[in-house]
Amino acid sequence: MNLVILIPEIALSFGALIVFIAELFARKKDFSALTYLSGIFISISFLSIFWTPIGEGLGGMVESNQTTQFLKGVMYILTLLSIISLSEYYSKLNSVYTELSYIMMCALIGLSLLVSSQNLALSFLALELYSISSYVMIGLFRQDVLSKEASFKYLTLGSVATALIALGAGFFYLATGSFELSKLSDQSGPAALACTFLLSGIALKIAAAPFHVWMPDTYEGAPSPVVGFLSSAPKVALFGFLLNLLDVFGSLNQWQIMVAALAILSTIYANLTAYGQNSVKRLLAYSSIAHAGYFLLAFADNTQSLKFALIFYITVYSFATLGTFIAIGILEEKRDFKHHILDYKGLYKTRPGISTILAIFLFSLIGLPPFALFFGKLWLLLGLISAGEFLLAIVLLVASLIGAGYYLKLIVNIFLSEPYKMVKGRRISGGEAIGFSVCLLIVVSLGLFPQIVLSFYD
Amino acid sequence: MEALLNVAIFMPLVASVLVAIVRKEIFSKLLALITSIAGFLITLTIFIAFPWDASGFQFTTKIDWIPQLGISYHVGVDGMAVSLLLLTSLIFIVVYVWSWRISQRPNLFIALFLALQGACMGVFSSLDFFLFYLFWEGMLIPMYYIIGIWGHDRKVYAANKFFIYTFFGSLFLLLGIASLIVYGYFIDGKLSFDYLYHSSKTYPILLQYVAFIAFGIGFAVKVPMWPFHTWLPDAHVEAPTAGSVVLAAVLLKMGTFGFVRYSLELFPDASRELATLVFTLSLISIIYAAMMALAQNHIKKLIAYSSISHMGMVTLGTFANDVNALNGAIFMMVAHGLSSAALFMSAGFIYDRIHSYNMEDLGGLAGYLPKLAVVFMLAGLAGIGFPGLAGFVGEFLILLGTFKNFPFWAFIAGSGIVLSAVYFLHMYRKTMFEEETISDYRKQKWQTLRDLEPYHIISFVAILASAFLLGLYPYPFVKTIEQTSRYIIGG
């Protein structure tokens, strides 16, 4: 029972408990104080990662290595940024639900466990902890039909994912007589079924096509800061979990075919469908699906360079997308602001600062240098070619090309059109300023000096 | 000298950031002018100090940047690069002088052009694939905004088309670069993005073909070569004058520069084997674009097609496998940079005064704008390769060298020169003479037209004097350029 491995999670749990108790006595106006309190606990957990040793714990159920440490660090920072930047949004929209702070922390505990778990039973529990918290967060606008619909849709489809993963874990047990990932030796029959079901379940959670249908609706209906959180930290955790599965199932035929199919479908389909969207949030949802496809490309082969490429790419992507959602959240002054693309017309005239920030994030999502996502893409390309996956390398390039156009559509509306409705948005709060500044800093500086990530990693 | 080269690359970028922060109109304009003049003096110093007979790259700086992936900050120049750097810095001075009066968002305008200038300087001097690609893509965003914000009626369409086409080419370039890097990794077990490391390798013929095609598409979009050319007329027609000048004079040269620096040097076998393909596309570009130019009524579109046609000559000379032809091709890049800049400035001036690019609305301008008539003529003559002006030396050398190895192709290309005279003189006649086609109402209005102002004259003199210098005393330039041709082709 080596509990030292779990110090960050234990710290987080205590933090969540304290915030929960504090919330019992809190009034609506203490909302931002509560978010900052959670921020402090997340920071403490983040710092505790540096004192956590590397090794196994709970009899092999959890493992801590450089990858998990790094991914946890990234997730904690992402959650910290989302949590400190959200209070102004909710108070302005007059829908303060003080529960949000500790629910987000609970989700983070789940994600954090998911990354380090080496046992499917624990992974299942961790994933559920995250999922249930996220259903609540999405549906938090209780009077808003869209928000409730989004939450319900995600709940139904999310339960399908739960079922699939449970089924996969069951077959895994059939094949090995254990839930421990390292126990798999025989790779036929039940193991192949386990692989198929687990991968499908995860694909649903990361919204890879054709398991993506819940995502655009959820993105559209959920509050923007929650979407920002959902599109960043969980992605990191789920792909981190997938990395654990890769070591186990990577050599299976089913795995390779499914991963390639999911990746090709997601990238091409999502990039094409995004052109038809009129809502900026839906557009970003399809962008997120396409990026899930890019990340899945890295699972086509179990090589070191692809793994590094994935970790780098997903880190910088998460910051870019979180920054985008923080920025568009600022525009949302009233509840009826639906992020229609026409609302963004001529935004540069009214909000030059936010427009510029948004443009940097959008250009980085296209994959232009010198922004960090370009480097992720280049690294992935190098990894794919050196693994001999030429077809997938071409897919990556073709999809990137198709994808460039719809970000441009938004950029055109922001910069090159005359104002249609004067969208003013509200004042930028301190938390939001810190939030997108950090994201901006990471997207720009890691594009020029990507070795920073490697130096943390070593 | 090494330090000066780095200063020339980073000075505009730093100035761009300063302009974006300070946002004072007069400060922006003065700073842009000062940095561009200083940049010109620096590149001129580098050009004069450049040793003609030393082989390889000069004034190199190499600093480790991302050692884990074999990426370094590595810059240096050869004869071709130093000539193009000189051209770039001259063109950007002219751009800032020409835009002295701009009133719509001047700070953003200047900041974008300064960023563009830094990117162009970087492309011509980088010796590392990653650095090269960074600068190559770095010009995309500034140019996108320049066309999109300050352009004419269909600016958004043109800006998007420009962006998508160029991005399409860049992705192929990226694929080519990645395949070379991975090959190097398999052979030597280390990642290296260094140009010198790769140019010392001999690639297997299959990889040469693949990479040649991938690089080739990337460069062909930029040149542009038929059938990737359709973005150029739109971009030129819609771009503001300063944007057109930079696009024609500098950005197109990145493509032809890439062909010489990367395709020809890294894949010599593929370049020989696939020369027929390149020749065919070049000849189609030369003849087809010239025919298209003849059919235009829009003067900027005509000049844009003439650019495609002239760039066809350059690609022809590049792959003719002869030192003279390659000299001519590189010389022509510089010469065309000067002549097309002057032509687009003339067209832009006509638009400023008469608010039309259409030949139907123009005529007899020689009587109202006599000074313009002179510079327009000189610009055109420089473009069609009139002896005594820069274009002649380039075209002559290209045809001379190509005739030696490929007389048939050279013969057809020669007819392109005749066509270029035809379409230019046609445009000149339609706009400057034929006063009888113009209504009396217009003539009345044109009585009060103002001819070239001092800042226009400075711009034109800077460009046309250089064109004369290159045409009358090409020796130092040809010598400098030959340094590149000799190490690429040998002999």
Side-chain angles (χ1 to χ4, degrees):
Chain A
M1 288 294 274
N2 190 359
L3 279 176
V4 191
I5 303 296
L6 289 176
I7 287 179
E9 285 84 0
I10 292 169
L12 265 184
S13 315
F14 271 112
L17 205 61
I18 293 170
V19 176
F20 174 71
I21 293 167
E23 196 267 336
L24 294 177
F25 305 101
R27 276 159 304 175
K28 277 200 171 175
K29 64 178 171 55
D30 302 327
F31 179 49
S32 63
L34 275 180
T35 59
Y36 290 121
L37 185 66
S38 341
I40 291 169
F41 285 117
I42 295 175
S43 315
I44 293 171
S45 323
F46 172 71
L47 291 176
S48 74
I49 295 175
F50 292 98
W51 281 276
T52 311
I54 281 173
E56 282 186 347
L58 294 183
M61 271 175 102
V62 287
E63 188 190 319
S64 155
N65 56 35
Q66 279 167 342
T67 312
T68 61
Q69 303 264 37
F70 180 78
L71 292 179
K72 274 185 202 173
V74 170
M75 283 180 337
Y76 289 11
I77 299 176
L78 285 167
T79 316
L80 176 67
L81 294 179
S82 351
I83 217 161
I84 60 171
S85 63
L86 55 70
S87 67
E88 185 80 9
Y89 174 90
Y90 282 94
S91 1
K92 201 79 195 175
L93 291 182
N94 235 339
S95 40
V96 170
Y97 302 105
T98 37
E99 304 92 319
L100 188 60
S101 328
Y102 66 80
I103 294 177
M104 207 176 252
M105 288 179 84
C106 289
L108 182 60
I109 299 169
L111 296 174
S112 186
L113 277 173
L114 183 63
V115 170
S116 42
S117 150
Q118 290 294 321
N119 185 304
L120 280 177
L122 182 65
S123 306
F124 180 80
L125 286 178
L127 196 60
E128 278 312 284
L129 179 58
Y130 150 69
S131 303
I132 292 168
S133 316
S134 66
Y135 304 144
V136 179
M137 285 193 285
I138 293 169
L140 215 51
F141 276 173
R142 285 176 216 160
Q143 295 92 10
D144 199 30
V145 178
L146 272 180
S147 173
K148 278 192 282 190
E149 184 196 325
S151 175
F152 186 69
K153 225 170 209 167
Y154 188 29
L155 171 68
T156 24
L157 286 167
S159 347
V160 175
T162 307
L164 285 170
I165 290 170
L167 209 53
F171 278 113
F172 190 90
Y173 192 81
L174 190 63
T176 60
S178 156
F179 282 127
E180 278 170 50
L181 283 175
S182 52
K183 288 280 160 59
L184 191 76
S185 49
D186 168 33
Q187 302 216 315
S188 61
L193 275 173
C195 163
T196 314
F197 282 119
L198 283 172
L199 198 53
S200 310
I202 298 293
L204 209 153
K205 281 286 171 196
I206 57 177
F211 298 101
H212 67 284
V213 280
W214 58 273
M215 193 175 225
D217 295 318
T218 305
Y219 269 44
E220 200 181 14
S224 301
V226 170
V227 183
F229 170 73
L230 285 183
S231 63
S232 52
K235 277 260 165 78
V236 177
L238 286 160
F239 280 101
F241 177 55
L242 218 49
L243 274 180
N244 290 343
L245 291 187
L246 176 69
D247 290 334
V248 182
F249 295 115
S251 52
L252 276 179
N253 251 340
Q254 282 85 347
W255 173 276
Q256 284 159 1
I257 293 170
M258 265 187 82
V259 161
L262 286 171
I264 294 173
L265 260 178
S266 308
T267 49
I268 305 286
Y269 171 80
N271 275 330
L272 285 173
T273 318
Y275 282 92
Q277 305 307 320
N278 283 325
S279 155
V280 173
K281 273 165 111 179
R282 287 186 84 89
L283 196 144
L284 289 170
Y286 280 101
S287 146
S288 170
I289 297 167
H291 274 92
Y294 298 149
F295 301 144
L296 276 173
L297 289 172
F299 291 91
D301 227 318
N302 194 357
T303 68
Q304 198 66 13
S305 70
L306 278 176
K307 197 172 150 191
F308 278 131
L310 173 83
I311 290 170
F312 181 82
Y313 198 177
I314 195 153
T315 305
V316 293
Y317 166 78
S318 304
F319 281 102
T321 169
L322 177 64
T324 314
F325 278 104
I326 293 178
I328 69 169
I330 296 170
L331 302 175
E332 213 167 316
E333 200 181 12
K334 291 192 212 72
R335 187 66 77 72
D336 61 354
F337 188 75
K338 287 284 175 278
H339 293 280
H340 194 279
I341 200 153
L342 292 180
D343 293 337
Y344 282 72
K345 273 198 161 194
L347 184 67
Y348 182 71
K349 296 261 163 59
T350 47
R351 299 299 295 257
I354 292 183
S355 308
T356 312
I357 290 162
L358 212 48
I360 290 177
F361 287 132
L362 290 172
F363 277 123
S364 69
L365 286 173
I366 292 180
L368 283 188
F371 306 118
L373 275 78
F374 161 71
F375 204 88
K377 209 169 261 182
L378 174 67
W379 209 336
L380 188 56
L381 187 69
L382 287 178
L384 284 173
I385 296 182
S386 58
E389 305 279 359
F390 295 107
L391 175 71
L392 294 181
I394 302 277
V395 167
L396 175 65
L397 292 179
V398 170
S400 309
L401 176 67
I402 301 173
Y406 59 86
Y407 300 108
L408 279 187
K409 188 169 120 183
L410 187 52
I411 291 168
V412 163
N413 273 308
I414 293 174
F415 283 93
L416 310 181
S417 319
E418 288 306 307
Y420 166 74
K421 272 191 223 166
M422 286 301 223
V423 174
K424 289 223 179 52
R426 55 185 164 74
R427 226 169 41 83
I428 302 172
S429 74
E432 280 160 343
I434 296 173
F436 62 65
S437 309
V438 172
C439 294
L440 213 56
L441 188 72
I442 284 174
V443 167
V444 173
S445 64
L446 288 189
L448 293 174
F449 303 101
Q451 66 265 48
I452 298 172
V453 167
L454 288 173
S455 66
F456 273 122
Y457 204 85
D458 288 336
Chain B
M1 253 346 120
E2 289 82 5
L4 280 183
L5 181 62
N6 294 314
V7 171
I9 299 170
F10 286 103
M11 195 170 51
L13 295 175
V14 173
S16 166
V17 174
L18 278 180
V19 165
I21 293 171
V22 177
R23 299 168 78 92
K24 289 271 185 301
E25 184 174 343
I26 188 71
F27 171 80
S28 309
K29 287 178 175 172
L30 275 178
L31 185 69
L33 201 60
I34 292 167
T35 37
S36 62
I37 291 174
F40 178 71
L41 292 177
I42 289 173
T43 46
L44 193 64
T45 318
I46 296 174
F47 184 84
I48 292 170
F50 188 81
W52 295 344
D53 36 15
S55 66
F57 291 92
Q58 308 298 322
F59 313 138
T60 54
T61 313
K62 189 172 181 184
I63 303 166
D64 268 353
W65 182 9
I66 309 172
Q68 290 89 341
L69 291 170
I71 294 170
S72 55
Y73 172 80
H74 192 183
V75 292
V77 287
D78 60 356
M80 169 174 61
V82 79
S83 316
L84 288 170
L85 284 178
L86 196 60
L87 170 75
T88 309
S89 49
L90 176 71
I91 293 291
F92 273 94
I93 299 183
V94 171
V95 163
Y96 302 126
V97 173
W98 187 269
S99 317
W100 193 253
R101 291 278 173 83
I102 185 158
S103 53
Q104 187 196 354
R105 296 198 206 164
N107 300 313
L108 185 60
F109 186 84
I110 299 280
L112 289 173
F113 268 104
L114 282 167
L116 192 59
Q117 183 180 0
C120 296
M121 304 295 265
V123 164
F124 294 135
S125 36
S126 47
L127 289 177
D128 182 276
F129 284 111
F130 184 74
L131 192 65
F132 169 74
Y133 193 80
L134 212 62
F135 284 126
W136 175 274
E137 289 283 74
M139 50 54 48
L140 198 54
I141 298 176
M143 200 62 206
Y144 177 72
Y145 280 113
I146 288 168
I147 299 176
I149 297 181
W150 289 273
H152 301 298
D153 302 339
R154 290 164 70 232
K155 55 192 177 184
V156 172
Y157 168 76
N160 279 341
K161 196 166 176 181
F162 164 76
F163 191 98
I164 297 287
Y165 266 70
T166 317
F167 193 57
F168 168 81
S170 306
L171 286 178
F172 276 95
L173 188 60
L174 189 62
L175 182 67
I177 291 175
S179 58
L180 293 189
I181 307 300
V182 170
Y183 175 77
Y185 179 69
F186 279 135
I187 295 302
D188 289 347
K190 64 168 183 160
L191 289 168
S192 175
F193 280 71
D194 198 65
Y195 176 78
L196 295 180
Y197 163 80
H198 282 280
S199 66
S200 66
K201 290 203 115 45
T202 316
Y203 299 111
I205 189 72
L206 189 67
L207 178 69
Q208 282 201 27
Y209 277 131
V210 171
F212 183 87
I213 300 282
F215 274 78
I217 292 176
F219 296 139
V221 169
K222 200 71 141 216
V223 169
M225 222 171 173
W226 187 89
F228 301 107
H229 67 285
T230 54
W231 62 272
L232 186 77
D234 283 308
H236 268 312
V237 165
E238 302 305 327
T241 306
S244 288
V245 168
V246 172
L247 190 57
V250 184
L251 298 195
L252 304 192
K253 307 302 171 293
M254 289 182 182
T256 49
F257 167 85
F259 272 125
V260 179
R261 170 69 67 81
Y262 295 93
S263 304
L264 206 53
E265 168 69 359
L266 296 177
F267 323 118
D269 301 324
S271 297
R272 245 193 320 280
E273 299 293 320
L274 295 175
T276 322
L277 173 71
V278 180
F279 284 166
T280 315
L281 295 180
S282 305
L283 279 182
I284 295 177
S285 296
I286 296 174
I287 306 291
Y288 168 81
M291 295 293 202
M292 286 299 283
L294 257 176
Q296 301 303 321
N297 258 336
H298 190 292
I299 49 177
K300 249 183 152 180
K301 221 170 197 169
L302 189 148
I303 304 171
Y305 276 110
S306 88
S307 286
I308 301 173
S309 177
H310 282 120
M311 288 291 104
M313 285 295 277
V314 174
T315 43
L316 182 79
T318 304
F319 289 93
N321 194 20
D322 181 89
V323 172
N324 276 328
L326 188 57
N327 280 346
I330 301 171
F331 196 91
M332 181 123 173
M333 293 182 206
V334 181
H336 176 262
L338 297 171
S339 65
S340 63
L343 280 172
F344 275 115
M345 279 151 56
S346 309
F349 181 77
I350 292 176
Y351 184 82
D352 279 351
R353 290 294 183 258
I354 302 179
H355 303 292
S356 170
Y357 287 123
N358 203 328
M359 284 187 215
E360 318 258 293
D361 304 337
L362 305 169
L365 284 178
Y368 304 97
L369 303 168
K371 289 180 195 156
L372 174 74
V374 175
V375 292
F376 195 19
M377 191 68 201
L378 289 176
L381 291 180
I384 63 180
F386 194 74
L389 284 151
F392 172 72
V393 183
E395 287 184 355
F396 179 76
L397 283 173
I398 291 175
L399 291 180
L400 183 74
T402 315
F403 249 115
K404 211 164 77 188
N405 295 336
F406 308 94
F408 170 68
W409 298 104
F411 178 74
I412 308 178
S415 64
I417 298 183
V418 180
L419 282 174
S420 76
V422 175
Y423 61 70
F424 171 67
L425 292 174
H426 165 73
M427 169 170 72
Y428 197 79
R429 181 175 52 105
K430 280 278 197 182
T431 53
M432 293 293 146
F433 306 133
E434 288 197 353
E435 200 174 349
E436 54 281 4
T437 58
I438 298 301
S439 64
D440 286 338
Y441 169 70
R442 275 178 186 277
K443 282 183 198 160
Q444 206 72 45
K445 257 181 34 182
W446 290 358
Q447 291 300 334
T448 55
L449 282 184
R450 264 188 88 185
D451 207 346
L452 299 180
E453 291 170 54
Y455 70 99
H456 294 127
I457 295 180
I458 296 173
S459 314
F460 274 115
V461 166
I463 300 258
L464 292 176
S466 315
F468 270 113
L469 178 66
L470 255 67
L472 294 173
Y473 186 56
Y475 179 74
F477 298 95
V478 175
K479 268 297 187 201
T480 310
I481 286 166
E482 204 172 74
Q483 190 260 355
T484 302
S485 316
R486 261 188 287 113
Y487 87 77
I488 287 180
I489 297 202

